[in-house]
Every structure is written in C-alpha cells, then in structure tokens.
Amino acid sequence: MKTGKPIVETEGAVRVLSKAGGVLAVGFTLLFHQGVYATPGVTPEELKQLGTTLTPWGSEIAGNKDGTIPAYTGGVKPPAGANPSDKIPLDPYADDKAVVTITSANMAQYADKLTPGTQALLKRWPDYKVNIYPTRRGYPQMSAERAQGSIKNAGNPDCKTTDDGVGLRGCWAGTPFPIPKSGYQAMWNALTHEQTEYELRMQSWIVDAGGNRTMTNEAIQQSDYPFWDPKETPYAGAAENYYRFLNKTFAPARDAGQKTIVWYPAEFDRKDQRIWAYTTGQRRTRLAPEFTYDTPSAALSGALNYDELGLFAGRMDRFDFKLAGRKEMYVPVNQYRMLTHTPEQVLGKQFINPDVTRWELRRVWLVEATRKEGKRHIAAKRRFFIDEDSWSILTSESEDDAGKLFRVGQSNGWPQYNRNETGAAGNMDYSNTTYDLSKGQYLLASFIDPATGWAKQVKRFPDYTFRAESMAGTGVR
C-alpha cells in the first residue's frame, strides 16, 4: 500500500491513503512483512482491515446501507474565518437544519435507535425533544504518526489489558484496541481516546427540582495526555499516566484559590489514581484518595460522582464490562452550537434547552457494566455508548439495585478542526450533562460561557504543572 495519495472512494467505501495531514495505513504493509502478530483475540484477517475497510483506529469507513450515515472522508475542516487562536471554535455545521424532531408523541417509531435513557427523558417531560441533524463524521483524521501507532498497537501481542481488564500493558501513542474484543478494551479506548492538550475556563451549574439555577464552580483547567506523546518513555515518569489535569477554582468566592491535580495511571492494577487537593484555609496540599469511585464531588454540589467525570473515569475494578456490539443510535454529538449560548439560554427549568443541542444517527459501541458481587457502588448496572469514530463516550446510564434508571449522562463535546504544534487534535468531550431522575435535578458540568470562558488549544504544559509541589508553591490564600 502506497502513501502520499488523497482519499479515494472504492466500491462504496473510502480508502484512506493520505500521508500529509492524514489518516492512512502508513506502515501497514511493512508491519505484515515484518511478521507482526495481532493483539490477542484479533486475527490477521481482521488486522488487514485497518486502513482498508476500517480506519487505522477502527471505525467503519463505509456509510450504512440506507445512506443515513455517510462514509468517513477525513473529518471536519476549519470553517471560513476560523483561527487556531480562537478561544471558542466556530460551528462548521451552522447551516445544517434538523431532519427530524423526536418527542414523546412520536418516539415509538424511533425507539430502536433511542437509548433507554433518552426514552426516559422523553417520557418524563412532554416538552422535551431531540433534534436530529444530518450525520457529520467530524472526528479529524489522525496524523500519520498516530494512525501508525494505532495499527502497531493492533498488531502488537504485548498490547493488552491485564486478565481482569483493570490494567493496560504495552499499548502506546495510538488507539490501544482498534478492533476491540471485550468491554474492557472498548473502555480503555474511551479512557485514552485522542484529545488535544487544552486550557479551559469553565463553569458548572446545577438546576434543582424547582428549576432554580446555581453555579457550583468556576475554574481554569489544564490538561495533559502523556499516552499520546511518542517522545515520552512508555509507562514511566509522566507517562505512567494516560491523563493528568490541574483544576484551579476562582468562584464561588468561598472556594477561590482551591486547586486539584489528578493523575490517571495506565497500570491501574498496580498503581492508584493520585489526587492532590490544595485547600486555601489550611494553606497546604494533601493527598485525597477518597476522591474516587462513587464519592460525590463537593465542587459539583454532590450531583456528580468522581467516576462520572467525562461520563466515566477511574479504575474498572468494581464492574464487569461486557461488549454488547456496535449499533446505530441517536446520540448527542458536534455540540458547537452550545458554545455560542449563555447559561440563561442553555439552562432550562427541567432540562437543557433542546434547541442548543445537536443529535445525530451514529454507529456506537455499547458497553454494559454489571457490578461485581461483593463490590460497593450506588449503581448496580451502567451502560456506555461509545462513538466508533472518536472513541468518546457520548451517553451513559445507571440503574439502581431495583433495576430503575436513575442517572443519564450526555456528552457536550465537539471535534477539534485544528491540530496543535504537537500534532494533537481529537474530540473535546470534557463537558457533560447529568440528569438525576430520582431527585429531579440536573448538572451541566464544565460549560464554557461565551462571555467569559475559553477552550484554548495549547502545547503540552511542562511536567511540573501537574506536580503537587508546584501546586503548593503557587498557593495564594
């Protein structure tokens, strides 16, 4: 297979052969000539699909049979007037019109493509609706280096999870499991999915059962993704962690100056998640091991648990994760529209204003999680719907011990149409909405107020940015 050619269509599929700027099967033929064997569970025949019928990171290149999901042709392009230095990205799909609106009145005819959580929201509120737009497969094609990394992972027998699925081994600088064989593999793809390093100024809002809005937190967050940096030593130093972030709070006034650093290790079976909290009243930094699993986040008024950040975060040792297959579902994606609306325009009394959100028909992987016997968690079962293109979790659901659905999570992310100087891009999906059906309230986490907030794409921050010593040294109260 040669490189350096544009994307070309062949027999209803798109064969990605781009080198500059692109996806492709760079090194694909070379890998087989070197006699590389597939990741456990992946056959050589399946491996050959990467870069031909599948993108190097594992999504189906062809559209669906009836044309409602188009072929993948390289992802979103910068719209006219866009600038890499923009604090808030422009909407490349601003001219799109909804093709159908689903309400409680007509939901039955679309039920096979609606998640149980979406159906629950439609049934609960007669004026809740889901606006379906044309499917835009906006996830940006990976750089050649990152695409090759994904193919190498798929062809590397040492790229695997531990037997219990909790730890990651041998995978690096690409999608770990482009052809997932287990729920744990799919979840690891989601946890490590490609994102750009960023700095956010964001707010979180809770709307109670009476429709009252309260801003629970305003902060600046800085992120780091060592897993995607080929210059790092895999699984050592900063790269012990697939993701790190620093959160600096400046509102409400009582919390101003508080800081939190979080490390998520790849070898979760051997290493603990590390969280440090700087408290202004005590003027010291302490380890906070309790900020895990289903512990409610005080900064978010207890409306979101720590393992619900980004719809799922942390160690996977309290549930059995089963891969239930790939399905066509209506899910929230490409949420550029929300970035241009104020909190007053977004936050309805019972749910997010449906007219500022965008839903599409997408192929998603469904992972079903069942709590292990003897383990403690408020959820007995959880479901995760993961986008095949970006590996982002687009929506999640939790059931209690009685089998009753009590939480529904929705992503408010969007694809980055510019790569930064380190080649990073991917899907920005830090923000989400969580509906608590038992309390009748919802939380909008990490919302960017267009008047004051930003989502700046940046280079990797220096390592000391994410060190507890640095956080303690810069405390101001």
Side-chain angles (χ1 to χ4, degrees):
M1 183 177 294
K2 297 180 180 180
T3 61
K5 295 182 180 179
I7 296 173
V8 295
E9 297 187 3
T10 59
E11 298 179 349
V14 177
R15 199 172 191 182
V16 185
L17 303 175
S18 166
K19 180 177 181 180
V23 225
L24 53 30
V26 167
F28 181 60
T29 303
L30 178 62
L31 284 173
F32 279 99
H33 287 174
Q34 291 175 335
V36 174
Y37 297 95
T39 296
V42 177
T43 67
E45 289 71 26
E46 289 177 315
L47 197 55
K48 291 177 183 178
Q49 296 174 25
L50 297 176
T52 55
T53 59
L54 302 177
T55 65
W57 53 94
S59 58
E60 293 184 30
I61 293 174
N64 63 1
K65 291 181 179 179
D66 59 12
T68 50
I69 296 177
Y72 181 79
T73 57
V76 64
K77 302 296 187 293
N83 191 305
S85 63
D86 289 340
K87 289 187 175 181
I88 294 178
L90 299 180
D91 184 355
Y93 310 128
D95 294 334
D96 284 357
K97 305 298 181 185
V99 294
V100 68
T101 295
I102 302 174
T103 66
S104 58
N106 66 353
M107 61 179 288
Q109 69 185 94
Y110 303 103
D112 62 326
K113 291 182 171 57
L114 295 171
T115 72
T118 304
Q119 293 186 53
L121 298 179
L122 288 164
K123 291 176 182 177
R124 186 171 184 126
W125 297 296
D127 51 346
Y128 183 77
K129 61 182 179 180
V130 174
N131 293 318
I132 308 299
Y133 287 81
T135 299
R136 303 284 193 175
R137 299 179 67 179
Y139 175 72
Q141 53 184 326
M142 284 186 181
S143 66
E145 187 174 46
R146 292 182 172 209
Q148 185 176 14
S150 300
I151 293 172
K152 284 184 176 180
N153 285 336
N156 178 8
D158 294 324
C159 175
K160 57 188 177 183
T161 67
T162 52
D163 290 342
D164 60 3
V166 174
L168 191 65
R169 298 279 191 275
C171 315
W172 192 247
T175 300
F177 307 106
I179 304 176
K181 295 297 181 178
S182 72
Y184 293 96
Q185 290 186 354
M187 292 301 290
W188 271 113
N189 286 349
L191 290 172
T192 62
H193 77 274
E194 186 190 25
Q195 291 196 76
T196 179
E197 289 79 18
Y198 59 76
E199 179 179 274
L200 304 174
R201 177 167 172 165
M202 59 192 186
Q203 302 172 348
S204 292
W205 292 80
I206 189 168
V207 180
D208 65 21
N212 303 299
R213 300 189 300 256
T214 304
M215 189 181 72
T216 68
N217 181 265
E218 188 165 14
I220 291 177
Q221 182 167 305
Q222 296 170 331
S223 70
D224 187 45
Y225 301 95
F227 179 84
W228 286 89
D229 190 342
K231 297 187 292 297
E232 292 281 1
T233 301
Y235 302 86
E240 290 180 1
N241 309 288
Y242 61 85
Y243 174 41
R244 306 184 294 180
F245 69 83
L246 166 65
N247 188 285
K248 298 181 284 188
T249 297
F250 54 90
R254 67 177 182 274
D255 298 329
Q258 293 184 4
K259 301 178 184 179
T260 306
I261 287 176
V262 181
W263 291 3
Y264 293 112
E267 295 181 309
F268 244 133
D269 58 309
R270 297 175 177 173
K271 298 169 184 175
D272 287 332
Q273 177 177 319
R274 305 293 297 277
I275 302 178
W276 291 269
Y278 174 81
T279 306
T280 55
Q282 298 176 342
R283 292 184 60 83
R284 71 183 182 92
T285 298
R286 69 176 184 88
L287 276 169
E290 71 276 16
F291 291 177
T292 55
Y293 297 113
D294 54 349
T295 301
S297 169
L300 301 174
S301 296
L304 193 72
N305 297 330
Y306 281 97
D307 67 358
E308 293 175 310
L309 297 173
L311 302 185
F312 183 81
R315 179 179 277 163
M316 290 186 281
D317 62 334
R318 295 196 178 182
F319 291 81
D320 289 315
F321 291 83
K322 176 186 175 182
L323 188 62
R326 188 158 28 187
K327 303 174 181 292
E328 293 184 9
M329 306 293 290
Y330 291 121
V331 286
V333 288
N334 291 323
Q335 302 288 23
Y336 299 96
R337 185 187 302 261
M338 189 179 291
L339 297 169
T340 61
H341 290 77
T342 66
E344 293 75 18
Q345 295 170 320
V346 172
L347 299 167
K349 289 186 176 297
Q350 297 163 320
F351 45 80
I352 295 293
N353 177 4
D355 291 327
V356 304
T357 63
R358 180 187 178 106
W359 294 62
E360 298 177 7
L361 180 65
R362 302 292 284 258
R363 283 187 293 242
V364 295
W365 291 98
L366 171 58
V367 175
E368 298 174 336
T370 303
R371 190 179 59 212
K372 293 181 177 180
E373 186 175 354
K375 293 290 187 179
R376 187 192 69 81
H377 199 280
I378 63 169
K381 292 186 178 181
R382 303 172 76 178
R383 288 182 289 272
F384 304 94
F385 296 86
I386 305 172
D387 181 36
E388 71 158 351
D389 286 332
S390 66
W391 287 108
S392 297
I393 301 174
L394 298 180
T395 186
S396 63
E397 303 170 353
S398 297
E399 294 181 1
D400 60 19
D401 288 308
K404 185 177 181 180
L405 187 69
F406 71 96
R407 281 203 180 152
V408 178
Q410 298 172 350
S411 171
N412 301 319
W414 72 88
Q416 283 283 359
Y417 45 68
N418 290 310
R419 290 193 172 270
N420 70 9
E421 295 181 18
T422 63
N427 212 57
M428 293 282 283
D429 60 356
Y430 58 89
S431 175
N432 59 79
T433 305
T434 301
Y435 292 95
D436 190 321
L437 302 181
S438 61
K439 296 180 180 179
Q441 67 182 27
Y442 73 91
L443 175 79
L444 174 59
S446 306
F447 170 73
I448 298 175
D449 185 335
T452 60
W454 63 73
K456 294 192 295 188
Q457 199 174 23
V458 297
K459 297 180 181 179
R460 282 194 67 192
F461 292 98
D463 178 64
Y464 63 75
T465 305
F466 306 98
R467 297 285 174 176
E469 317 86 78
S470 176
M471 183 167 68
T474 57
V476 295
R477 285 178 56 189

